[in-house]
Amino acid sequence: MEKLQNLQLMRAIAAVLVVWAHAIDVVGKRQQDAFQIAWGALENFGAVGVDVFFVISGFIVSLTAERSRSVTKFLVARLVRIWPLYLIATVVVFAVDPAARSLATLAWSAVFLQAPGLPAGMPTHPLGWSLMFEAVFYLMLAGAICWRTRRSMPERVLIIGSAAILVAGVCGFHQPTNIIGNPVIIEFLLGVVIGWVYRRRPELPTWVTSGLFVVGTVLLLSTAMYGFGFISEAPQTLDASLSWDRVRLWGIPSALLIASAVFRSNATPAVARPLVFLGDSSYSIYLFSFVALLLLDQGWEVWAPASPDVAIVLATSVAVVFGVICYVMLERPLTSVLRTRIEMHLAKA
């Protein structure tokens, strides 16, 4: 599938939003008088970047699955894409953060699972919670590939996802249904629907895409101004206690923004190309920016300026740059080598 530059721009924005939210956490532990903390509900608003990622993943990966003829090749390709880098980042967090040094949690985290008995339990890498849902979505797509029927791929995925959420609700979202059928899966399914429409009509009139953008932006910014409760907190999504609210307040507006990006012209002005590169780097930024922020937190007295707002901007910038470096020096070469070797192995099989 042709790379959609507009989606890469959205990925870049989503990644920076997540980093910004965590940078605010680092500074906010010591200084609460920052404008970015005091004004409206900006303090945790950057967590909406995760919801944007979920919709994008639903769109892109469902289209990939639709073209896949082998469930094995599909799952191996997705595993190569997300697991090695996540495992490395998780081990680094385990080594750097004393609060994360639980071997049991590390073992469960390494395979995208929660520790038993802890429906709100976080993985070793605090951002790994989102990858639990990513992995579940991949399994739903794998099930859709295996399901031999005349129904289209999007129909199959929507049926499987809806059934999982329904069963989980009936079970009270007890483990493991709090992950397998969590309502936040709807955000991936919204991406599937966007992909379904895209296959039939890849471009819509400007007035439609502009309208989608305006409505999505207004809805999201209204939560930044007037609040969104505790939907930004990962534990409340993991145990499904606030997942419906998260989908309503952040998931639907995020889908409108992604639809706006997908259905408009794919031409990218030269000034936006650095953002496209940030979009390419977004997975490394997402995982390794947290490591950078941990180190900045531990060395706070050395680097932090007097102004908390300046500290937040600096911490965000340093963490994003660190993520980009990890993309260039680690993710890109590692993924290339693994893909080449696996393709050779599958070709011989």
Side-chain angles (χ1 to χ4, degrees):
M1 186 177 72
E2 176 192 6
K3 181 189 288 187
L4 295 176
Q5 306 295 332
N6 295 331
L7 272 191
Q8 295 305 93
L9 296 178
M10 295 301 296
R11 272 180 163 162
I13 293 169
V16 173
L17 280 171
V18 173
V19 177
W20 175 56
H22 287 282
I24 289 176
D25 288 341
V26 169
V27 176
K29 289 193 299 184
R30 297 171 175 84
Q31 297 174 284
Q32 288 290 322
D33 57 339
F35 171 81
Q36 297 164 76
I37 295 175
W39 190 87
L42 281 182
E43 183 174 357
N44 292 312
F45 177 70
V48 72
V50 176
D51 303 82
V52 174
F53 278 130
F54 283 171
V55 179
I56 292 175
S57 182
F59 171 77
I60 291 178
V61 185
S62 65
L63 290 179
T64 301
E66 197 167 0
R67 297 192 309 273
S68 180
R69 298 184 179 275
S70 164
V71 67
T72 300
K73 289 182 179 180
F74 169 75
L75 287 175
V76 168
R78 298 323 302 169
L79 188 67
V80 168
R81 175 70 183 94
I82 69 170
W83 186 68
L85 204 67
Y86 167 67
L87 183 62
I88 293 170
T90 295
V91 171
V92 172
V93 170
F94 180 84
V96 171
D97 186 5
R101 289 174 190 163
S102 164
L103 285 173
T105 303
L106 177 65
W108 289 107
S109 299
V111 289
F112 305 115
L113 294 175
Q114 277 185 310
L118 297 171
M122 294 288 285
T124 299
H125 191 308
L127 292 176
W129 71 269
S130 64
L131 295 180
M132 296 180 187
F133 297 115
E134 191 85 19
V136 166
F137 179 61
Y138 294 167
L139 292 176
M140 289 180 177
L141 288 169
I145 294 172
C146 294
W147 184 5
R148 300 304 177 185
T149 175
R150 292 183 179 180
R151 296 182 185 276
S152 67
M153 172 64 73
E155 286 180 284
R156 284 175 267 168
V157 179
L158 290 172
I159 291 171
I160 292 171
S162 300
I165 295 169
L166 179 61
V167 171
V170 171
C171 295
F173 296 109
H174 295 297
Q175 283 184 301
T177 64
N178 64 307
I179 303 297
I180 297 171
N182 194 296
V184 82
I185 295 293
I186 291 171
E187 297 185 358
F188 292 94
L189 300 182
L190 290 172
V192 172
V193 172
I194 294 170
W196 196 357
V197 177
Y198 176 80
R199 286 295 297 267
R200 287 155 179 77
R201 188 165 181 177
E203 194 167 327
L204 293 176
T206 302
W207 67 269
V208 175
T209 57
S210 297
L212 292 170
F213 178 81
V214 169
V215 173
T217 301
V218 169
L219 290 174
L220 285 183
L221 291 182
S222 67
T223 68
M225 294 175 64
Y226 302 112
F228 41 80
F230 294 96
I231 66 170
S232 61
E233 303 304 315
Q236 279 70 33
T237 301
L238 287 168
D239 66 11
S241 60
L242 292 179
S243 294
W244 286 110
D245 290 336
R246 183 164 191 148
V247 172
R248 175 173 57 87
L249 293 173
W250 281 355
I252 293 173
S254 295
L256 294 176
L257 289 177
I258 297 307
S260 170
V262 165
F263 294 117
R264 68 173 60 241
S265 170
N266 201 31
T268 304
V271 70
R273 286 173 189 163
L275 280 178
V276 173
F277 179 72
L278 280 186
D280 294 340
S281 312
S282 59
Y283 189 48
S284 286
I285 293 172
Y286 185 72
L287 290 176
F288 287 98
S289 62
F290 186 79
V291 175
L293 291 172
L294 275 176
L295 297 173
L296 289 174
D297 186 30
Q298 293 172 3
W300 172 268
E301 302 301 332
V302 176
W303 71 272
S307 167
D309 281 301
V310 172
I312 291 169
V313 173
L314 281 177
T316 301
S317 302
V318 169
V320 168
V321 170
F322 184 74
V324 170
I325 292 171
C326 289
Y327 168 70
V328 173
M329 301 187 68
L330 179 61
E331 179 187 354
R332 196 160 57 181
L334 176 64
T335 303
S336 176
V337 169
L338 288 175
R339 280 178 176 166
T340 301
R341 291 186 177 182
I342 289 172
E343 285 173 2
M344 290 175 60
H345 176 75
L346 291 174
K348 293 177 182 178

